[in-house]
């Protein structure tokens, strides 16, 4: 089955209690405009997940988390488990974002363990991959993205129902720079081929592959039109409901 598109917002370390007004505005926009042909997800910081889930209850936006620990519980000061995230009724967890790979030295093996922890709770993992500028310049993009990251970060039994891949070139995140449509399509094609090779035709073609990195209302439609792009993972432009809705417009 063709993947269902997803437009996901990652608020990163942004947002306080009063930011729920943006979620409420987004819900209003979704209620009042044509239903998009995609799912919508917002991943606020952990402090806001619970209240966002309550506000979004029964609405056309799901709430997710940005990370989790591999264990269910235990002596891990400051960490949050997938079980805790399920307990507050979030539906998705981002794992392996490049900022966590860089800031917290997360390896693809750890990312795979996190994705497995997400799956054990019956939630969906958004597994992020992406090359740095130096890796792209060295011509290593496909090797890094597919071999070093994607194949090592995906659990053996990943399924389209519980796993979404997000390709986010590190140099495009928060910079306003984006790859050309041809470059996006090339990487997404390589990701798709690797998924088909690993999981077979039917399952491999079922995974949604999101593009992330400086997606904005002005470039979303074009980026989303590239082959094998099944949605977006949006940072900065997901903080304001109007901008995020402008990206969702690519699916209206
Ligand atoms: P950006 O971030 O949209 O602000 O570039 C994307 C991301 O890191 O998910």
């Amino acid at each position: 089955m063709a993947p269902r598109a997803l437009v996901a917002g990652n608020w990163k370390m942004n947002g306080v209690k009063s930011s729920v007004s943006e979620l409420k505005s987004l819900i209003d926009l979704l209620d009042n405009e044509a239903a998009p042909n995609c799912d919508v997800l917002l991943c606020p910081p952990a402090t806001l997940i619970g209240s966002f889930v309550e506000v979004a209850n029964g609405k056309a936006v799901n709430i997710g988390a940005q990370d989790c620990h591999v264990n269910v519980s235990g002596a891990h000061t400051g960490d949050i488990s997938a079980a805790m995230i399920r307990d507050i009724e979030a539906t998705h967890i981002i794992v392996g974002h490049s900022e966590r790979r860089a800031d917290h030295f997360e390896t693809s093996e750890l990312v795979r363990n996190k994705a497995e922890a997400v799956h054990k709770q019956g939630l969906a993992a958004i597994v992020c991959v992406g090359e740095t500028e130096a890796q792209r310049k060295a011509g290593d993009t496909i090797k890094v993205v597919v071999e070093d990251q994607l194949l090592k970060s995906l659990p053996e039994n990943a399924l389209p129902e519980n796993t979404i891949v997000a390709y986010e070139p590190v140099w495009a995140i928060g910079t306003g720079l984006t790859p050309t449509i041809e470059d996006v399509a090339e990487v997404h094609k390589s990701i798709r081929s690797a998924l088909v090779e690993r999981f077979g035709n039917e399952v491999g073609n079922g995974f949604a592959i999101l593009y992330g990195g400086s997606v904005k209302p002005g470039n979303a439609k074009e980026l989303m039109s590239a082959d094998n792009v099944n949605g977006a993972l949006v940072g900065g432009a997901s903080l304001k409901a109007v901008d995020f809705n402008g990206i969702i417009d690519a699916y209206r």
Side-chain angles (χ1 to χ4, degrees):
M1 224 173 64
R4 167 92 176 152
L6 171 68
V7 175
N10 170 14
W11 274 20
K12 309 190 179 182
M13 198 170 71
N14 296 292
V16 291
K17 245 172 20 182
S18 61
S19 312
V20 74
S21 61
E22 289 301 329
L23 173 62
K24 287 178 179 164
S25 304
L26 178 65
I27 289 169
D28 281 346
L29 291 164
L30 290 168
D31 276 351
N32 292 318
E33 294 189 26
N37 193 17
C38 67
D39 293 329
V40 177
L41 173 74
L42 211 50
C43 301
T47 48
L48 297 178
I49 295 172
S51 58
F52 274 37
V53 165
E54 275 174 33
V55 170
N57 186 21
K59 299 296 181 183
V61 47
N62 286 314
I63 304 299
Q66 299 173 13
D67 179 50
C68 67
H69 194 274
V70 294
N71 291 347
V72 168
S73 61
H76 302 287
T77 302
D79 278 315
I80 294 171
S81 73
M84 291 165 164
I85 293 164
R86 187 195 63 178
D87 182 55
I88 53 173
E89 295 170 26
T91 53
H92 294 64
I93 305 180
I94 298 170
V95 294
H97 190 281
S98 61
E99 285 151 17
R100 292 210 60 89
R101 290 180 190 258
D103 295 356
H104 299 272
F105 311 107
E106 293 196 2
T107 62
S108 289
E109 190 190 5
L110 179 70
V111 174
R112 187 183 66 239
N113 291 337
K114 288 188 176 198
E116 281 168 358
V118 175
H119 292 163
K120 273 199 197 115
Q121 298 305 321
L123 304 184
I126 301 178
V127 179
C128 302
V129 294
E131 83 287 2
T132 63
E133 188 178 17
Q135 288 163 336
R136 173 161 285 266
K137 282 194 174 139
D140 289 339
T141 299
I142 301 300
K143 180 191 167 293
V144 168
V145 167
V146 174
E147 288 166 39
D148 300 349
Q149 296 183 346
L150 180 75
L151 293 174
K152 291 182 183 159
S153 302
L154 284 183
E156 279 312 317
N157 54 1
L159 290 169
E161 294 77 47
N162 64 16
T163 307
I164 293 142
V165 175
Y167 167 58
E168 301 199 299
V170 176
W171 52 271
I173 294 176
T175 58
L177 303 172
T178 50
T180 63
I181 296 302
E182 292 73 27
D183 286 342
V184 172
E186 189 201 353
V187 178
H188 280 239
K189 187 177 174 199
S190 298
I191 291 174
R192 179 68 70 207
S193 303
L195 292 170
V196 165
E197 195 174 314
R198 168 104 158 244
F199 297 99
N201 232 329
E202 199 176 320
V203 174
N205 279 313
F207 290 96
I209 309 173
L210 314 184
Y211 167 78
S214 296
V215 180
K216 308 220 158 6
N219 63 17
K221 208 177 172 73
E222 195 190 4
L223 286 164
M224 298 303 102
S225 72
D227 275 354
N228 285 304
V229 174
N230 314 113
L233 181 54
V234 186
S238 70
L239 292 169
K240 290 271 164 257
V242 172
D243 293 342
F244 195 43
N245 186 57
I247 291 168
I248 294 166
D249 272 343
Y251 289 98
R252 286 194 173 101

